């Protein structure tokens, strides 16, 4: 799907976490004893109170933080062992929409989205059409050349989302996608994400918005004081389809 | 191919988008190079002026009696055995009297009554130009004093000592200031580049997060540093040249600077300065990058 | 209520906007022809799609931006004319919770809240108790000395809110207070804001979260493409009470 | 009261929390001051060494005949009318012969046959120390040449010319380098402070938004700048003093630096340098603040 070559045998499990814990010295224990297995192609909701550790969990999967204890495997690789070039290649296969956006405020919206594709040496023409297409879908077509710092918060949130999906990653980690969005826009965003899921991507969405996860057929996990509880085991027919896509 | 395309695109973007801080860095590098090379230029010209000033340093050895040709040969041999000198000239009492008469000018007729051997015969020794440290000269003088038949060795000790003290002091000054300035320049370059990179930490972090390799991230910054070093030092040396020309035009009246025929730095030296600046900026970039990447 | 001396006669109208427009050159028209009157002590909701201009409207009231056209009076002063010292004094009477938080990430949570009170030369003891009290109410008591940059987004959002209310301002402008908060925390935050309202403060809350504004008795205005529409005229018994408080 | 309390609390917090960049600024200021004052120190010592070097500059005026006491008086008057000089000494032919005999050393007995007026009488004129520009000395020489009874005026023109050319060149160098370094120092200080403030733009913006007055925001930064200037320059001058002592200890062998009895900068000069640095940093802070506040 992406330019980077995936391992010859695609493992069925996308994310495997065993007894993972994360402390922030001196006294914060963000996560403790998390065991979690996410099959390829799953659509998973992660909920929990503010400060429960949702973002920390996503950061661990994206190898942005190192776990204090435990094992984390993503697409069959122990990501705590990855370094240099292989870490970079691994990251191109993961798309993350950060809760604090991490936009380059001085740069144009187009560049902010394109950067994820440029890094993977996509062709300029391809980058151009993909960016246009994503902006169109997120109702930001007229902001193509605006510096990202001049957008409203909701617009910035959508740009972050566009960047996460731009490089067509196998694993999408979406942190609080609709915190600054109204209902109509939320629907559009969720539609976009669902299309990615149908195309075979594995999705983990951390959110606090009941409108998104309530009544959905997908597995929903709740974090509470750093521990994981299953809220809804999920009846998702999509799971495991990823390999054929 | 793809890699270099991306790198140059990135480089172009960096230069375009942060041109103010780029300009700042450029000015800083230029100033550092300007100051350093200015100092170096002064040093070089001092040295050659010093050489020229000492040009007519010679030791006068007063002898008991005029040496015959054989004796002259022997003296020459003994002196050159001790140390290579540029020239040895023997002055007979008659020649000495002539010289003295010339000095007296209109009063020379006072000397008509004087016997022709009234002044002692002497020998004029001109040391080699590269052997003119005060110490060597006085060693030579001491040696000449031990030669048989020597009455006295004279070489304007006072002036020579002063001149060499002056030159020595200058060397110390140049050495110290040079060290200081190289330190400052290095410090400033790396400081400036670190600050430039600090201003783009966000971008570097994002690049890492979206899966850019270290080479992809570092190379544009490295090239930028090298470019800065190249352009900055060229600019600095250019300004120095202008300054130099200006000084020549304004102060090179025939009466003052005739013995200081100033020369600019030679081409190889210019090339070395530019090359060093480029290397230095590149290294500073690299070190700053390593730091930033460790985040 | 605040240390800064209010005008002798408290005007009944807290915010008065007449035919206000705001353009961002070259081509964005964020607000056009806004006329709005907010009595002292009102509790007002401002809703609208992402990019509708909610934040821009609040920024105009807080004198963070100058309007392109029109008149804005806050507590009887034409704020477009304020400068220097009087602008500073005016700002101490307004508390704003920014959508992008504007926290000093290197500084502690306590300092981030205290700064609003220090500027008004409040006594250190008073500052200390107020900060402790606010953190307690927002469930952040254990984060007192943590650098703000190390908090989760939801925690940061609450710190921003705490800073807005710390100096006991007459006018509270709250931009998207619950974008990163779960339902339980949202309730707590709203409670805090309601208490301020009861104490006499005028509140304007920009939000997209229907859970907050739906079914409330307060006036609700909707911004759409830079124009204002009344969604709910409000049946708020609180209006006008501010003067007696 | 409240205001100053808040300002000092803020200042303390700033210094504590951004101590790395504070340190950077401090080093930069120190280095700038060090370089500048180093140069100035050299300049001062050059000047005084130059003065000392020229100390025994004197003009010998050969006269046709020995002037009587009246004539001596008249000559003295004419010379001092033209220009104030330090000393005028008359040398009779006998004294001249004695001196010459002294120079000949052991060969002095050669002179026994010579008439006592064999050498011409002369007059030794020592110019004032502060009137020793090359131009003035040669003017004086020209004037002495026009006096009645003067045969010739001698003052080692060659060496004097060289010495003054040297001094003149040094002045030019010091002037140019001084200007360059003051420029650099000013530029660096304001650049560094601007960068420091740039790093706290967020804080300044927030302070404005929560209603801090301009004085409240600016004063701590201003004080910080002044403090930086004070401590930085003190540090720079301190290092210079250490460097100076080191040079003295290592190079002041009796043979070399005896005529350069090096002296450190005087207290008023030190105070002026520190004061200027403080003012400069304060102004740089102020300008940077004005910029930041215009946002
Ligand atoms: N870099 C850090 N240093 C120290 N503590 C941290 C750091 N990052 C997060 N924490 C703490 O870890 C806990 C979990 O944080 P996390 O960001 O994962 O929460 P969250 O579930 O994403 O909350 P929210 O819904 O508010 O975003 C919080 O108490 C937070 O203060
Ligand atoms: N500084 C700016 N420069 C240019 N355009 C801007 C600037 N700030 C906001 N805009 C534009 O003005 C419009 C309104 O922005 P505003 O931030 O008021 O929206 P909002 O209603 O707060 O949206 P959201 O719910 O996403 O926060 C948007 O289209 C935005 O892109
Ligand atoms: Mg989070
Ligand atoms: Mg907004």
């Amino acid at each position: 799907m992406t330019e980077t070559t995936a391992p010859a045998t695609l493992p069925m499990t996308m994310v495997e976490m065993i007894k993972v814990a994360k402390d922030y010295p001196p006294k914060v224990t963000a996560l403790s004893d998390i065991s979690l297995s996410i099959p390829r192609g799953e659509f998973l909701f992660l909920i929990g109170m503010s400060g429960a550790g949702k973002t920390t969990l996503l950061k661990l999967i994206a190898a942005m933080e190192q776990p204090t204890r435990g094992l984390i495997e993503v697409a069959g690789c122990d990501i705590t062992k990855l370094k240099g070039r292989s870490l970079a290649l691994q990251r191109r296969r993961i798309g993350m929409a950060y809760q604090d956006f991490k936009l380059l405020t001085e740069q144009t919206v187009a560049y902010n989205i394109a950067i994820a594709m440029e890094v993977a040496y996509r062709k300029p023409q391809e980058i151009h059409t993909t960016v246009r297409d994503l902006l169109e879908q997120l109702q930001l077509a007229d902001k193509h050349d605006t510096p990202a710092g001049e957008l409203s918060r909701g617009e910035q949130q959508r740009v972050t989302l566009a960047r996460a999906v731009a490089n067509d990653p196998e694993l999408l980690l979406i942190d609080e996608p609709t915190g600054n969005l109204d209902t109509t826009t939320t629907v559009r965003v969720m539609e976009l994400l669902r299309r990615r899921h149908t195309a075979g991507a594995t999705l983990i969405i951390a959110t606090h918005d009941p409108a998104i996860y309530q009544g959905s057929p997908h597995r929903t996990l709740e974090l509470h004081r750093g521990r994981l509880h299953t809220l809804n085991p999920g009846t998702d027919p999509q799971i495991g389809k990823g390999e054929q896509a | 191919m793809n890699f270099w395309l991306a790198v140059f695109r990135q480089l172009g973007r960096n230069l375009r988008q942060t041109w103010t801080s780029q300009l700042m860095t450029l000015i800083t590098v230029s100033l550092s190079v300007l100051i350093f090379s200015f100092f170096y230029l002064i040093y070089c010209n001092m040295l050659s002026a010093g050489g020229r000033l000492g040009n007519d340093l010679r030791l006068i050895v007063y002898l008991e009696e005029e040496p015959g040709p054989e004796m002259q040969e022997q003296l020459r041999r003994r002196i050159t055995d001790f140390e290579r000198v540029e020239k040895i000239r023997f002055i007979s009492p008659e020649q000495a009297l002539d010289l003295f008469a010339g000095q007296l000018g209109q009063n020379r007729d006072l000397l008509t009554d004087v016997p022709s051997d009234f002044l002692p015969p002497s020998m004029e020794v001109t040391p080699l130009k590269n052997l003119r440290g005060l110490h060597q000269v006085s060693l030579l003088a001491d040696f000449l004093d031990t030669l048989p038949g020597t009455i006295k060795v004279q070489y304007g000790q006072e002036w020579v000592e002063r001149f060499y003290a002056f030159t020595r002091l200058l060397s110390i000054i140049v050495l110290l200031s040079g060290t200081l300035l190289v330190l400052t320049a290095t410090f400033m370059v790396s400081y400036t580049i670190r600050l430039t990179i600090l201003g783009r930490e966000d971008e570097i972090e994002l690049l890492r997060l979206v899966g850019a390799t270290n080479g992809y991230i570092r190379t544009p910054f490295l090239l930028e540093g090298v470019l800065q070093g190249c352009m900055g030092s060229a600019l600095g040396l250019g300004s120095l040249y202008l300054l130099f020309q200006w000084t020549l035009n304004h102060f090179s009246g025939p009466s003052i600077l005739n013995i200081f025929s100033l020369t600019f730095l030679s081409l190889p030296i210019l090339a070395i300065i530019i090359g060093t600046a480029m290397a230095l900026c590149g290294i500073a970039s690299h070190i700053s990058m390593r730091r930033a990447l460790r985040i």
Side-chain angles (χ1 to χ4, degrees), chain A residues 64 85 88 91-92 98 102 104 107 111 115 118-119 121 163, chain B residues 3 9-10 13 17 203 205-209 211-213 216:
Chain A
M64 284 168 68
R85 196 172 167 72
R91 278 191 171 138
R92 288 184 207 163
Y98 309 97
K102 295 198 196 296
L104 307 175
Q107 314 272 13
Y111 177 67
I115 195 169
E118 279 183 6
V119 156
Y121 307 122
R163 187 180 56 202
Chain B
F3 174 74
R9 199 172 40 191
Q10 188 68 28
R13 209 144 36 194
Q17 275 163 357
E203 187 165 352
E205 198 203 340
L206 182 67
L207 279 170
R208 281 177 63 228
L209 290 177
T213 54
Y216 186 97

Side-chain angles (χ1 to χ4, degrees), chain B residues 5-292:
Chain B
L5 196 82
V7 161
F8 279 109
R9 199 172 40 191
Q10 188 68 28
L11 179 65
R13 209 144 36 194
N14 282 352
L15 292 182
R16 234 181 311 117
Q17 275 163 357
T18 60
W19 65 270
T20 42
S21 90
Q22 299 288 342
L23 211 69
M24 279 291 205
T25 318
L26 198 70
I27 292 173
T28 312
V29 175
S30 304
L31 272 177
S32 307
V33 170
L34 176 59
I35 294 176
F36 173 73
S37 54
F38 175 72
F39 227 87
Y40 186 69
L41 178 66
I42 289 171
Y43 178 64
C44 291
N45 277 293
M46 280 294 169
L47 278 193
S48 65
R52 244 171 278 125
L53 264 182
N55 254 2
D56 41 52
L57 171 71
R58 54 202 61 176
L59 297 95
I60 311 289
V61 185
Y62 293 101
L63 301 170
E64 267 165 26
E65 48 188 42
E66 202 178 342
E70 222 171 280
M71 186 60 183
Q72 286 192 5
E73 222 17 73
Q74 200 187 325
L75 279 173
R76 259 185 225 282
R77 210 168 340 103
R78 289 194 61 179
I79 293 171
T80 46
D81 274 357
F82 177 76
E83 182 136 2
R84 285 180 58 218
V85 296
E86 189 155 309
K87 211 171 86 186
I88 297 171
R89 189 176 138 219
F90 290 89
I91 298 166
S92 65
E94 293 81 26
Q95 288 169 318
L97 204 59
D98 278 359
L99 284 172
F100 184 52
Q103 272 176 21
L104 283 183
Q106 292 160 306
N107 279 35
R108 65 188 315 159
D109 37 287
L110 284 170
L111 294 174
T112 39
D113 296 338
V114 170
S116 66
D117 62 348
F118 147 70
L119 285 173
S122 60
M123 175 170 71
E124 203 182 83
V125 180
T126 314
L128 278 182
K129 283 191 181 132
N130 54 351
L131 275 175
R132 279 180 173 163
L134 176 60
H135 189 59
Q136 281 140 312
V137 171
S138 64
L139 273 183
L140 183 60
D142 288 351
F143 168 74
L144 292 175
D145 213 24
T146 64
L147 288 178
T150 298
I151 301 173
K152 195 185 173 192
V153 180
Q154 245 189 8
Y155 59 98
Q157 282 90 334
E158 213 177 311
W159 278 107
V160 168
E161 262 177 40
R162 282 178 190 179
F163 178 69
Y164 282 117
F166 217 75
T167 310
R168 181 78 188 272
L169 191 74
L170 267 184
S171 310
I172 296 167
I173 289 166
V174 164
L175 204 83
L176 286 181
S177 343
T179 316
L180 206 70
L181 283 166
V182 169
L183 269 180
T184 319
T186 315
F187 166 75
M188 279 197 58
V189 167
S190 82
Y191 181 36
T192 315
I193 290 181
R194 189 170 308 156
L195 280 165
T196 311
I197 286 177
L198 216 75
R200 297 202 224 146
E201 253 177 0
D202 286 355
E203 187 165 352
I204 294 171
E205 198 203 340
L206 182 67
L207 279 170
R208 281 177 63 228
L209 290 177
V210 295
T213 54
N214 283 348
Y216 186 97
I217 300 175
R218 278 186 198 165
T219 316
F221 286 99
L222 209 69
L223 282 183
E224 195 184 309
V226 173
L227 208 72
Q228 289 276 10
C230 178
M231 282 174 53
S233 53
L235 213 74
L237 292 174
S239 327
L240 184 67
Y241 187 70
L242 291 182
L243 209 72
F244 176 76
Q245 287 299 344
W246 181 81
T247 311
L248 274 195
N249 292 341
H250 281 246
F251 293 94
S252 158
S255 64
I256 295 172
L257 294 181
N258 47 351
I259 39 165
F260 300 103
S261 73
L262 297 174
T263 50
F264 199 61
L265 300 171
S266 65
L267 271 187
I269 297 276
L270 291 181
I272 287 173
I273 291 178
I274 292 182
T276 312
M278 282 167 70
L280 215 71
C281 288
I283 291 168
S285 265
H286 186 74
I287 291 169
S288 305
M289 282 309 305
R290 286 186 71 101
R291 285 201 162 207

Side-chain angles (χ1 to χ4, degrees), chain A residues 143 150-155 180:
Chain A
K143 305 285 183 195
E150 292 185 3
L151 297 183
S152 84
R153 288 301 279 180
E155 286 160 354
N180 293 282

Side-chain angles (χ1 to χ4, degrees), chain A residues 27 49-50 99 142 153-155 158 179-182 208:
Chain A
K27 54 176 188 165
M49 272 181 63
S50 173
Q99 199 174 7
D142 54 332
R153 288 301 279 180
E155 286 160 354
R158 282 173 278 164
N180 293 282
L181 298 181
D182 54 288
H208 70 271

